[in-house]
Every structure is written in structure tokens, then in C-alpha cells.
Amino acid sequence: MKFTDAMCQSVTQHTFEVFGSCCPTFIRYPFSLITFFPGLRNMSTLSVPPVALSPRDDALQLYKAFKGFGCDTAAVISILAHRDATQRGIIQQEFRALYHEDMLKRLKKELSGKLEDAVLLWMQDPASRDAHVMRQTLSEDNVDLRAATEVICSRTPSQIQIFKQIYLQRFGSYLEHDLERHASGDHKKLLLSYVSIQRYEGFEVDPMIAQNDANELYRAGEKRLGTDENTFIRIFSERSRAHLAAVDLNYKNMHGNSLEKAIKKETSGLFEYGLLTILRCAENPAKYFAKVLRKAMKGLGTSDTALIRVIVTRTEIDMQYIKAEYEKKYKKSLVDAVHSETSGNYRKFLIALLGPKH
């Protein structure tokens, strides 16, 4: 069965209405539907020149910026922060053809610090970026299972399969093996299931199965003493995003409590974070990433790794939505928040990716 307008109206708690009455009709649909409808408006914040420029000219200008004493960082940002993934790939090819040099290696040599980290991640294609981030989070020296969970549990099955292949090709190790080595307990079971199972990526939902899953989760958690974690793992790793959004709606209607509250009550730690990431990205990934960004900038110091990871990986996907959700929830524009937490050319690069405030 497909979602109808009536069904969409019945899940207003999962809708995305931050643009008010002027927003297109589809924005009021469950966010998981926006993710899967082909041909919907691109909500990227990337600003590219209205007239396509020559990749060879870009390569020439970048080489000019690299020459001499010091790097013309402003020129590098003005080019690379305003080219899409395809253009950036072709620029790298042209640079190699002209100068017989790997442009990424040259950027690594010319840039430094947080700007270097952000630009080098930006220059990779999306799947390679995810593989790179996963390798960083699972490195022996600096394991970050929370970041690994964010990447895995916020990606679609097809995205996961592609970056798994790149991970193996580039690093000579199966992602599953590295997860097995570093994760543990129910959290490990969830991640291994999530990266292995090919879930449906469409937007059709069987209402009877959604009701049954809601009841199963209730019996596995709030209804019993103790928690049947395997039931949570099975349903969350096997069901589509659209289906989980419907499960949450049924859970509320039948048991008077949200599935998110049940997860917080029945689970803890990284296992809880994984389940919540899956559920939140099924309902409204923009709201989820707005919260990740807020956490990265809240309190003393800034988690630049998280800030770079989210801004770079979401700029060409749904950053317009994320910006709107951020301002709606925290009463401050994301651009202003990033501006206050960063400085120098690093700030200029991130702000260029985020685009104007409104």
C-alpha cells in the first residue's frame, strides 16, 4: 500500500513544516517520503556558478594558487567550495593530466589544520567520504563508535553497500571485521545486522505488518520485565525507513507512548543511540543532524570532527532542511552558530558550503 494524502495528514508529528504556509505540499509529507520520492527538489546549499566553467581553467587557477610562497587559500576556497561532486572529480582529473600530480596530495601539502581536514573530505565522492570516515572512527588509535554509529545508521542500504566495497578496496579490511573487533554487545549486533541486510528503500508500507511490529516492540520492551533486545535489532535492521515511521505512529496510537521514549526507557548507551539514530532518520533526518551539529558546538570547545563530518556530507543532500530545523529548534541560524564557533579560512570554507542564512 502507498501513502495517501490522508495518511500523510495523520502523521503531522513527523512532518517538516519549518517553512510555514509557503512551503511546497511535499514538505508536509513524512520526511522519509521526501527521501525516497525521485525528482523532488534538491535541498542542497551548494552554490555553483550559473554558467558552467571549464574544469581545466579551474585546475589552472588552483595550480596558480599553489605556486609561490604560501598558498592563496582564498582562491582555493572560491573554487572548490562552489563546485559540485562531479565538477570536483573532473577538476582532479584535469589537474593530474596537466601537472602529473595528485591534487589531493597537493592540497594536503598546501593546507593545514581543520581547513585541510574539511577540504580533503569535501574533495572525495560521497561513498569514499563515508568509507574514509568509517576508517577514521575505527582506527586503533582513536576509536569513535558514536560517530561510526551515526554514519551507518543514517545511510540507506544502497549507500552502505557501496561504501563497504570502497572500504575493502581502499583499506584491505572488511567493515564487518572491524566492527566485530571494536564494538560489543547489542550495539555490535545492531551494527552488523544494519550493514548486512538489504532493506527496502521505497515508500510503500503494509499497515498490518506495521501494527504487528509496533505490538512486538511493545511486548519486547515496555510490557515485560527486562528487554528482548533481539526483537528491537531484528525490526530496526530489517524494516524500511517509511515502515519504521509507520511503526512509530502505530505504537503511539496503540500504546500511548512514542517509540523513542520506549527506546530511551528500555535501552542505554551506544545501543540506544543506534536505535534512536535509525528511528530519527526514518522520521526526519534533518532534525537529527541539526541535533548532532548543536551537540558539536554546545558547551566548552567545539567538536570540529563532527562539525566537518555533518556539514561536508550533508551540503549536497539536505542542508537546507537541516538549517531550517536548526533555526526552528534553537532560535539561531546555523550559519551564525558556525560563524561563532570557527575562525579564519576554516570558517570561510564551512560558511561557503552552508550558503546564506535564509
Side-chain angles (χ1 to χ4, degrees):
M1 184 184 77
K2 295 184 178 181
F3 275 104
T4 64
D5 285 342
M7 292 175 65
C8 291
Q9 292 170 5
S10 72
V11 289
T12 54
Q13 59 268 55
H14 299 324
T15 58
F16 196 87
E17 296 178 331
V18 295
F19 292 104
S21 60
C22 64
C23 65
T25 303
F26 73 79
I27 292 178
R28 295 192 180 87
Y29 279 30
F31 199 92
S32 55
L33 294 186
I34 297 171
T35 304
F36 297 119
F37 270 126
L40 287 182
R41 208 169 114 215
N42 188 334
M43 294 307 289
S44 164
T45 52
L46 181 66
S47 171
V48 298
V51 178
L53 301 177
S54 163
R56 175 159 290 216
D57 287 343
D58 283 340
L60 289 166
Q61 290 302 313
L62 286 167
Y63 185 75
K64 182 179 178 182
F66 297 151
K67 287 182 66 178
F69 183 74
C71 174
D72 185 353
T73 308
V76 173
I77 292 172
S78 70
I79 296 172
L80 296 183
H82 298 284
R83 302 293 185 271
D84 64 30
T86 301
Q87 292 169 327
R88 297 194 302 274
I90 298 174
I91 291 169
Q92 291 182 66
Q93 295 173 15
E94 291 288 350
F95 194 91
R96 180 180 288 276
L98 286 169
Y99 306 111
H100 309 288
E101 184 180 5
D102 186 327
M103 199 175 92
L104 293 184
K105 290 182 179 178
R106 187 61 184 267
L107 284 166
K108 188 174 180 65
K109 178 181 176 182
E110 299 290 342
L111 305 177
S112 62
K114 293 171 284 191
L115 175 64
E116 175 192 340
D117 295 338
V119 172
L120 289 178
L121 192 62
W122 174 246
M123 290 303 296
Q124 300 185 63
D125 64 84
S128 295
R129 277 198 300 249
D130 284 345
H132 175 81
V133 170
M134 289 305 302
R135 186 64 171 183
Q136 284 186 319
T137 63
L138 298 176
S139 66
E140 298 291 346
D141 297 334
N142 188 28
V143 176
D144 185 350
L145 289 174
R146 188 176 179 89
T149 302
E150 173 200 306
V151 173
I152 289 172
C153 296
S154 65
R155 302 308 193 254
T156 66
S158 57
Q159 289 171 336
I160 291 172
Q161 294 310 308
I162 295 171
F163 80 66
K164 275 174 57 179
Q165 293 172 12
I166 294 174
Y167 189 95
L168 175 60
Q169 293 166 2
R170 185 172 294 184
F171 307 115
S173 176
Y174 288 97
L175 176 62
E176 293 89 339
H177 292 174
D178 289 344
L179 289 172
E180 182 81 36
R181 186 163 68 252
H182 294 296
S184 62
D186 294 315
H187 176 239
K188 177 170 73 176
K189 292 179 185 177
L190 177 65
L191 293 186
L192 289 174
S193 294
Y194 208 75
V195 300
S196 302
I197 295 175
Q198 278 293 324
R199 289 169 296 283
Y200 173 60
E201 295 188 38
F203 49 89
E204 293 185 359
V205 174
D206 186 318
M208 292 303 298
I209 296 177
Q211 288 179 18
N212 289 339
D213 283 347
N215 282 323
E216 271 202 76
L217 289 169
Y218 180 69
R219 290 193 296 268
E222 291 186 293
K223 191 177 181 181
R224 58 175 284 167
L225 184 64
T227 306
D228 177 5
E229 291 86 356
N230 288 332
T231 296
F232 278 83
I233 292 169
R234 176 177 56 81
I235 291 174
F236 274 70
S237 61
E238 291 181 359
R239 303 307 193 215
S240 71
R241 288 181 172 184
H243 182 91
L244 285 175
V247 170
D248 185 36
L249 180 62
N250 278 283
Y251 196 98
K252 288 177 183 175
N253 289 338
M254 293 188 292
H255 306 297
N257 198 12
S258 72
L259 187 50
E260 179 167 327
K261 288 182 179 178
I263 290 170
K264 290 179 178 179
K265 178 181 176 182
E266 297 295 325
T267 63
S268 62
L270 288 169
F271 180 51
E272 173 190 346
Y273 183 65
L275 293 174
L276 290 176
T277 298
I278 293 168
L279 182 62
R280 289 167 177 170
C281 287
E283 297 175 335
N284 189 338
K287 186 176 181 179
Y288 167 78
F289 283 111
K291 190 170 184 177
V292 174
L293 288 169
R294 175 68 170 182
K295 184 177 178 64
M297 295 183 283
K298 190 178 179 182
L300 292 175
T302 300
S303 174
D304 291 290
T305 302
L307 194 64
I308 291 168
R309 182 178 64 248
V310 175
I311 291 177
V312 167
T313 60
R314 307 309 294 189
T315 287
E316 294 180 274
I317 301 174
D318 56 358
M319 187 54 73
Q320 292 284 17
Y321 286 126
I322 295 170
K323 285 167 64 177
E325 277 288 2
Y326 191 96
E327 185 159 4
K328 176 187 175 185
K329 185 170 179 64
Y330 304 113
K331 311 306 178 187
K332 182 178 184 178
S333 79
L334 180 57
V335 171
D336 284 341
V338 172
H339 188 276
S340 66
E341 295 293 326
T342 57
S343 62
N345 288 317
Y346 170 55
R347 171 199 283 166
K348 291 176 183 176
F349 181 71
L350 293 185
I351 296 297
L353 296 186
L354 290 174
K357 288 184 187 180
H358 303 292

